[in-house]
Amino acid sequence: MNDKYTYAKINNLSNNMADFLCDCSEAYHKKVDVVAEKVFSHAGKKVVMLAGPSSSGKTTTASILSEDIEKLGGKAYTVSLDDFYLNNLLQTSKF
């Protein structure tokens, strides 16, 4: 079990939310950095896809991942399906 975030630590960090948020953000970025290094080290990888529920951070993660890959010397492009979203009215109307 990862005891980095024990109940006691979370309770202590909740007294200073700015520190708690910074700690969480740093841990998140480190995890994305690890993924970027794995993707970059496999030269045969051409496409990386992210999936998840609405507002789960896919676009943010894709952006950070793309930046990390480029920092490592690779080329990365993001295509967001947010740009192709049809609202409920358009989905249910007849074309």
Side-chain angles (χ1 to χ4, degrees), residues 39-93:
V39 170
F40 185 73
S41 68
H42 290 86
K45 288 204 184 330
K46 301 293 182 191
V47 177
V48 176
M49 294 183 175
L50 303 175
S54 180
S55 299
S56 62
K58 299 176 299 293
T59 302
T60 300
T61 301
S63 177
I64 295 167
L65 186 58
S66 178
E67 290 174 11
D68 285 353
I69 289 170
E70 289 186 353
K71 285 178 188 174
L72 292 168
K75 285 282 187 190
Y77 304 94
T78 59
V79 177
S80 174
L81 291 182
D82 294 341
D83 298 334
F84 301 103
Y85 177 76
L86 296 176
N87 66 31
N88 194 32
L89 179 62
L90 290 174
Q91 289 178 17
T92 57
S93 67

